[in-house]
């Protein structure tokens, strides 16, 4: 489902190049649960932004469902971001003037969905994250954990195939953070491909697939619990989801 | 994205920025109010002049003594080699075709007296046609009969003001008024008519043309009004008048003939110049208002970088981001336009109250145009900020504070 080939991303700061990613290659199959780890500044966010089609690499090729992203125009990229990918950010990024429900509806607004369908889908997403009773609250009336759950509801309202979370627990205390991770894992169990960026080793050890970055390079791409390598070779969506549930 | 959602999202952008929003709306409303007031004034002036001229009758030729070089413009009367006489008028009447009626006019001022009351009046030597072309109605008695124009007959018709001031509550009919050295019998009083092209018709006394010429000891006419049977005849009669007068004036074409159209065109040109100047003022105030909108929108874009990055991450296209900020700017323009139309209309009301003779009210097209211009100003000056928002790099936008 996701395949990177020698992806490089270089920023120029004051004329001097900063190599955020250097020839990164790996694959992620449908339904996987992947953690990307690495020290601060190792390129994790840059990598996730490229995976989410928010940023473009300077070199290398990125295939999403077999299609190369590099050749897509703005409209197509927007459609991919809207329909195929759900984002969860460390800083939540909720729109403060909108209610929880309206925030969750936002991706469907851009997709041009009808008001009724939008309301129902958003309500359902809020139920999934356990916040159905907070629909009319504004972000500043919610706790940090609740805000992140609203953000997760927003990320899944379009029923995307892939969930990308950049340090989703970074602004939360450890107990709330664990709840959020558990919620994301539950969504993975129900079939969504999940990619979490974190520098917390405890969280990192939960995922079957671990990619470790250092200074823009992949230094580790492993399946610590074994067996998964075999699963990867099967590479069939239905079975993968089932096996994840079985874990 | 649905239109209604676009509006709702755009409107939401004003939340938390009440003062800023209000100020830029006020800026636009001032510009739009100026547009409404100025266009209303212009159109009222045009209406006023057209109305005054329409009462002259459409198929009217006006013959003035003296030749002016400018074609079609109202002549400034200078030295007159040959006067235009009553005999000229009679000669024309005998030899022209398609003429419905012809009215020689003589004008002068004199002192009018009745017993111990006196006032200065404008004396018009004319006939029935003068009443018709000026839209005068007779309140009492009759107007000057056609037949008396060419003869001296000491009868007169009083304007409403003159009648009131000389006779008070008395009935002026068949009484005598002394004008200059002559006594005139009052045969009629006209109903109040008011100002017409700068002259107060109520302060006039109408007498037969010949009598006025005697009174002022004058041989020449002030002008000659020729009303034609149809519009098609205008160019032919115009040519014939020039030819016939040339015959009588020893080969000199020393008259000026102009039509109502030419008069209207002259006033039209003046009005156009005034309108252009006023429009320039309105345009400048609108441009200032537009720059205000642009400023507010640029601030909004930089304050909401984060939100713009988020929208893109959630699947908004560049066009949608552009549309959102354009809509916000157009809303500022639209609210400003609505307020401006209200202010402008109110100003017109006040104006009309102060000058009831010159009623000013915004024409519907002006209101529609103002609304359109307001939205346009918003969209035009919002264009740059909106494009700026759409071009933001989502990653950088998401990393920024705010
Ligand atoms: N927009 C940018 N401009 C310049 N340098 C950047 C930019 N984004 C990231 N970098 C640099 O790229 C490297 C990787 O950054 P990032 O992907 O944010 O790391 P991480 O998320 O692992 O902390 C860092 O050295 C960072 O300073
Ligand atoms: Mg990061």
């Amino acid at each position: 489902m996701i395949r990177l080939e020698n992806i490089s991303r270089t920023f120029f700061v004051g004329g001097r190049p900063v190599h955020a990613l250097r020839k990164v290659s790996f694959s992620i199959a449908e339904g996987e649960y992947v953690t990307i780890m690495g020290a601060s500044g190792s390129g994790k966010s840059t990598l996730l932004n490229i995976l989410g089609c928010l940023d473009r690499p300077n070199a290398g090729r990125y295939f999403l469902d077999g299609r190369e992203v590099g050749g897509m125009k703005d409209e197509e990229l927007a459609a991919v971001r809207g329909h195929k990918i759900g984002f969860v950010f460390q800083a939540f990024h909720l729109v403060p003037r909108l209610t929880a429900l309206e925030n969750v509806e936002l991706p469907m607004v851009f997709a041009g969905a009808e008001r009724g369908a939008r309301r129902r889908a958003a309500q359902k997403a809020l139920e999934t994250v356990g916040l159905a009773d907070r629909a009319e609250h504004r972000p500043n009336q919610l706790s940090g954990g609740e805000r992140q759950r609203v953000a997760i509801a927003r990320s899944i309202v379009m029923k995307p195939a892939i969930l990308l979370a950049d340090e989703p627990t970074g602004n939360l205390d450890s107990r709330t953070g664990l709840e959020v991770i558990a919620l994301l894992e539950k969504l993975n169990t129900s079939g969504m491909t999940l990619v979490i960026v974190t520098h917390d080793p405890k969280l990192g050890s939960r995922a079957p697939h671990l990619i470790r970055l250092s200074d823009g390079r992949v230094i580790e791409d492993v399946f610590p619990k074994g067996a998964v390598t075999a699963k990867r070779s099967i590479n069939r969506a239905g079975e993968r989801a089932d096996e994840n549930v079985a874990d | 994205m649905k239109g209604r959602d676009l509006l709702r999202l755009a409107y939401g952008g004003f939340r938390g920025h009440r003062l800023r929003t209000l100020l830029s709306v006020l800026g636009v409303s001032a510009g739009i109010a100026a547009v409404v007031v100025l266009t209303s004034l212009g159109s009222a002036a045009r209406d006023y002049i057209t109305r005054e001229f329409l009462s002259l009758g459409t198929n009217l030729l006006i013959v003035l003594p003296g030749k002016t070089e400018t074609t079609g413009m109202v002549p400034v009367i200078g030295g007159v080699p040959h006067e235009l006489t009553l005999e000229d008028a009679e000669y024309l009447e005998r030899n022209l075709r398609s003429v419905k009626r012809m009215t020689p006019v003589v004008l002068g001022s004199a002192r009018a007296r009745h017993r111990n009351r006196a006032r200065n009046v404008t004396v018009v030597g004319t006939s029935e046609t003068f009443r018709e072309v000026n839209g005068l109605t007779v309140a009492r008695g009759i107007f000057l009969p056609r037949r008396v124009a060419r003869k001296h007959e000491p009868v007169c018709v009083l304007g409403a003001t003159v009648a009131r001031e000389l006779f008070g509550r008395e009935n002026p009919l068949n009484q005598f008024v002394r004008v200059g050295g002559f006594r005139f019998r009052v045969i009629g009083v006209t109903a109040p008519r008011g100002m017409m092209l700068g002259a107060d018709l109520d302060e006039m006394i109408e007498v037969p043309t010949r009598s006025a010429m005697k009174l002022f000891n004058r041989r020449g006419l002030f002008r000659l009004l020729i009303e034609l049977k149809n519009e098609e005849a205008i160019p032919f009669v115009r040519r014939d008048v020039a030819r016939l007068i040339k015959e009588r004036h020893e080969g000199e074409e020393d008259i000026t003939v102009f039509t109502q159209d030419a008069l209207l065109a002259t006033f039209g040109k003046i009005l156009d110049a005034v309108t252009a100047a006023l429009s320039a003022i309105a345009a400048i105030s609108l441009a200032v208002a537009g720059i205000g909108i642009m400023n507010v929108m640029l601030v909004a874009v930089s304050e909401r970088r984060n939100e713009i990055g988020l929208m893109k991450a959630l699947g908004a296209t560049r066009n949608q981001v552009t549309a959102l900020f354009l809509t916000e700017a157009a809303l500022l323009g639209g609210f400003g336009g609505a307020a401006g139309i209200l202010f402008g209309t109110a100003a017109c009301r006040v104006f009309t109250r102060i000058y009831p003779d010159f009623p000013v009210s915004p024409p519907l097209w002006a209101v529609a145009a103002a609304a359109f211009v307001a939205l346009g100003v918003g969209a035009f000056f919002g264009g740059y900020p909106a494009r700026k928002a759409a071009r933001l790099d989502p990653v950088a936008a998401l990393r920024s504070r705010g």
Side-chain angles (χ1 to χ4, degrees):
Chain A
M1 140 158 281
I2 288 173
R3 187 151 57 87
L4 301 190
E5 288 178 0
N6 296 318
I7 292 285
S8 295
R9 180 73 171 101
T10 309
F11 296 102
F12 289 89
V13 181
R16 301 192 50 206
V18 176
H19 299 284
L21 295 175
R22 308 171 199 247
K23 295 194 178 248
V24 168
S25 303
F26 60 79
S27 308
I28 296 172
E30 195 161 349
E32 268 198 71
Y33 172 14
V34 187
T35 300
I36 297 175
M37 292 200 59
S40 180
S42 57
K44 305 183 296 292
S45 295
T46 305
L47 178 57
L48 206 71
N49 289 332
I50 287 175
L51 287 182
C53 301
L54 278 178
D55 197 6
R56 289 177 190 265
N58 300 88
R61 301 202 291 174
Y62 169 20
F63 294 94
L64 184 61
D65 283 337
R67 289 195 55 204
E68 195 182 344
V69 173
M72 292 186 187
K73 287 198 269 297
D74 176 66
E75 299 274 322
E76 288 176 275
L77 288 177
V80 168
R81 293 194 289 255
H83 291 268
K84 198 164 261 196
I85 293 165
F87 267 104
V88 179
F89 307 95
Q90 175 175 353
F92 319 139
H93 289 314
L94 297 176
V95 180
R97 60 173 187 275
L98 301 182
T99 64
L101 189 73
E102 286 166 341
N103 265 289
V104 175
E105 279 181 46
L106 216 43
M108 298 191 79
V109 170
F110 295 126
E114 291 293 341
R115 197 183 171 80
R118 229 160 59 198
R119 277 278 132 93
R120 279 193 300 279
Q123 200 70 50
K124 193 148 169 285
L126 279 176
E127 272 165 37
T128 308
V129 302
L131 285 178
D133 55 337
R134 299 285 200 280
E136 297 309 321
H137 289 223
R138 293 192 198 283
N140 62 6
Q141 298 165 322
L142 297 170
S143 72
E146 287 169 335
R147 284 184 212 182
Q148 193 59 303
R149 274 147 69 195
V150 171
I152 291 171
R154 179 181 64 193
S155 74
I156 59 171
V157 76
M158 292 288 291
K159 302 193 175 15
I162 305 167
L163 262 188
L164 304 176
D166 192 353
E167 314 225 20
T169 62
N171 285 7
L172 303 174
D173 62 61
S174 57
R175 199 170 61 85
T176 322
L178 261 178
E179 284 170 18
V180 163
I181 293 294
L183 174 59
L184 290 172
E185 287 172 354
K186 196 179 92 186
L187 292 167
N188 169 248
T189 311
S190 68
M192 282 183 202
T193 307
L194 176 63
V195 181
I196 300 181
V197 163
T198 180
H199 56 249
D200 182 344
K202 266 211 303 263
L203 294 182
S205 62
R206 295 166 69 103
H209 187 173
L210 176 74
I211 296 172
R212 197 181 295 277
L213 291 182
S214 174
D215 197 19
R217 286 196 179 84
V218 176
I219 54 167
E220 216 180 335
D221 181 3
V222 295
F223 295 79
K225 294 173 186 169
V228 191
T229 338
K231 286 181 197 166
R232 272 185 91 193
S233 63
I234 298 167
N235 204 8
R236 289 216 310 260
E239 287 177 40
R240 293 239 6 100
D242 291 347
E243 282 160 59
N244 273 321
V245 173
D247 278 355
Chain B
M1 188 158 41
K2 301 246 183 296
R4 227 179 50 188
D5 295 324
L6 182 66
L7 276 178
R8 221 162 37 86
L9 268 184
Y11 182 74
F14 300 135
R15 213 179 270 172
H17 307 297
R18 296 258 151 97
L19 185 63
R20 194 165 85 192
T21 306
L22 187 71
L23 287 177
S24 62
V25 164
L26 273 181
V28 178
S29 74
I32 292 296
V35 170
V36 170
V37 169
L38 297 179
T39 50
S40 306
L41 277 176
S43 113
R46 210 170 281 273
D47 284 355
Y48 178 78
I49 286 171
T50 314
R51 202 166 52 235
E52 297 296 271
F53 274 103
L54 270 183
S55 60
L56 287 177
T58 40
N59 306 323
L60 200 66
L61 281 184
I62 301 161
V63 183
L64 296 187
K67 180 77 188 168
T68 50
E69 297 308 317
T70 39
T71 50
M73 300 289 284
V74 179
V76 181
I77 303 158
V80 182
H82 288 93
E83 289 183 309
L84 186 62
T85 61
L86 212 46
E87 288 69 35
D88 289 334
E90 278 160 4
Y91 184 71
L92 287 178
E93 190 158 39
R94 277 197 305 277
N95 291 290
L96 286 175
R97 273 164 303 140
S98 305
V99 173
K100 197 160 140 203
R101 47 185 166 229
M102 195 174 282
T103 313
V105 178
V106 171
L107 209 65
S109 56
R111 197 144 178 88
R113 193 187 313 276
H114 170 68
R115 286 191 203 132
N116 55 344
R117 293 189 235 190
R119 87 185 305 277
N120 287 327
V121 294
T122 305
V123 179
V124 186
T126 184
S127 73
E128 171 70 9
T129 321
F130 184 81
R131 185 189 69 73
E132 286 170 9
V133 298
N134 286 299
L136 282 166
T137 50
V138 177
R140 282 175 160 177
I142 55 167
F143 204 82
L144 301 169
R146 273 181 67 72
R147 64 178 164 76
V148 307
R150 315 296 158 81
K151 296 186 294 187
H152 168 54
E153 215 176 301
V155 294
C156 72
V157 176
L158 305 181
T161 309
V162 177
R164 185 165 26 98
E165 290 188 5
L166 293 185
F167 290 90
R169 289 166 176 280
E170 266 180 81
N171 183 355
L173 289 186
N174 290 317
Q175 304 219 44
F176 288 89
V177 175
R178 181 164 282 280
V179 183
F182 293 77
R183 260 160 46 99
F184 290 92
R185 186 168 56 87
V186 178
I187 57 167
V189 176
T190 54
R193 170 75 169 84
M195 301 292 286
M196 160 113 177
L197 296 178
D200 192 340
L201 289 166
D202 299 340
E203 294 186 354
M204 290 181 178
I205 291 184
E206 290 90 11
V207 301
T209 309
R210 181 76 78 190
S211 306
M213 295 176 89
K214 265 197 141 90
L215 178 63
F216 296 118
N217 192 21
R218 202 180 283 166
R219 238 172 66 79
L221 297 172
F222 172 65
R223 61 179 57 169
L224 181 61
L225 308 179
I226 305 176
E227 203 176 341
L228 304 181
K229 290 192 180 121
N230 53 59
E231 203 179 331
E232 291 70 43
I234 288 177
F236 306 109
V237 175
R238 198 181 175 147
R239 208 188 46 216
D240 289 350
V241 167
R243 185 175 52 79
L244 291 169
I245 291 293
K246 204 169 168 181
E247 277 170 29
R248 285 181 58 85
H249 288 188
E250 290 142 352
E252 274 187 71
E253 197 186 316
D254 53 4
I255 50 152
T256 305
V257 183
F258 60 95
T259 58
Q260 194 193 344
D261 279 355
L263 266 176
L264 270 178
T266 303
F267 279 98
K269 274 182 196 151
I270 296 169
L271 272 180
D272 285 346
V274 173
T275 307
L278 297 184
S279 308
I281 296 170
I284 289 168
S285 62
L286 277 178
V288 170
I291 290 166
I293 288 189
M294 172 132 64
N295 185 41
V296 163
M297 290 313 297
L298 283 174
V299 171
V301 169
S302 72
E303 272 184 2
R304 302 207 327 252
R305 281 167 64 84
N306 208 288
E307 194 180 309
I308 295 163
L310 172 75
M311 294 194 297
K312 290 192 163 184
L314 298 182
T317 62
R318 252 177 235 171
N319 287 343
Q320 285 176 327
V321 175
T322 308
L324 187 60
F325 281 89
L326 266 186
T327 306
E328 253 188 74
L331 278 179
L332 286 178
F335 291 140
I341 289 169
L342 284 181
F343 294 157
T345 309
C348 288
R349 289 258 167 81
V350 171
F351 190 94
T352 303
R353 184 153 298 175
I354 298 173
Y355 303 101
D357 283 345
F358 189 67
V360 176
S361 75
L364 197 63
W365 64 262
V367 171
F372 189 74
V373 164
L375 289 173
V377 162
F380 179 78
F381 287 94
Y384 171 64
R387 239 171 300 125
K388 202 171 149 159
R391 276 205 295 256
L392 276 185
D393 165 30
V395 176
L398 276 168
R399 281 158 72 102
S400 57
R401 287 283 95 217

